[in-house]
Amino acid sequence: MQAGPVFARAGRGWRTGITAIIGAVLVVVGLLAAWGLWSVHGIYRDLASSGHTVEAEMTGFEAAWVGSRASRREVYYPILEFTTAEGQRVRTTSYTAIDPADYTPAARVTAVYSAADPALAMPVSALSAWPDGTAWTIGAFSLLCLLVGGILLRAGLMRP
């Protein structure tokens, strides 16, 4: 009859190990999501602070499918053509997606581009919309993963 508590302790050790692993994975996912969001924030911050504004022509769209099979949707990235302050002619696909109903091809839009890399350009309207709902969602997801992962990791590493 003494074997019962031994098996119970062995089962608890296995569960705490799994809890620690799940917690560690959640912490890593939270850190990766935060790093990705911080990287995108850096691009927007740099363009807002030191980007050059120019009139650009939208010559078309590049379409891409995003999402899972159940909720796939098509997004459109405008193709911008402009001349930099140094006289360099640039044709690039915007970093941000737009709703094609908002713009017409061959329309003139105000764009902002990076002086270090003029191919990194986007319409000013996209820059002013930052942070959008997606950024807030990713930030909340990152914080949730870090919180839950930290709690599970701590619980899994505590000795019974």
Side-chain angles (χ1 to χ4, degrees):
M1 292 293 165
Q2 288 288 56
V6 172
F7 289 122
R9 271 188 266 134
R12 187 183 330 163
W14 179 79
R15 284 188 298 244
T16 58
I18 293 296
T19 302
I21 291 170
I22 292 171
V25 168
L26 283 174
V27 167
V28 168
V29 167
L31 289 173
L32 287 174
W35 175 76
L37 185 60
W38 186 254
S39 298
V40 172
H41 168 72
I43 292 170
Y44 278 88
R45 183 189 63 232
D46 292 345
L47 285 177
S49 65
S50 63
H52 296 287
T53 306
V54 66
E55 286 296 314
E57 182 178 350
M58 222 178 346
T59 58
F61 299 100
E62 186 176 303
W65 289 95
V66 297
S68 65
R69 284 190 165 181
S71 64
R72 286 185 69 140
R73 64 184 176 96
E74 195 170 23
V75 294
Y76 302 92
Y77 297 94
I79 298 171
L80 303 172
E81 289 187 15
F82 58 91
T83 304
T84 65
E86 294 79 26
Q88 176 186 3
R89 187 77 180 147
V90 176
R91 183 175 197 266
T92 185
T93 303
S94 174
Y95 189 78
T96 59
I98 61 167
D99 182 5
D102 292 343
Y103 301 102
T104 57
R108 304 288 296 171
V109 296
T110 304
V112 61
Y113 69 93
S114 170
D117 183 12
L120 181 61
M122 68 180 72
V124 171
S125 61
L127 185 63
S128 64
W130 176 261
D132 59 357
T134 303
W136 288 107
T137 303
I138 293 171
F141 172 76
S142 174
L143 288 175
L144 181 67
C145 284
L146 289 171
L147 177 68
V148 173
I151 291 169
L152 290 176
L153 185 60
R154 183 170 184 226
L157 292 178
M158 291 181 69
R159 300 286 177 208

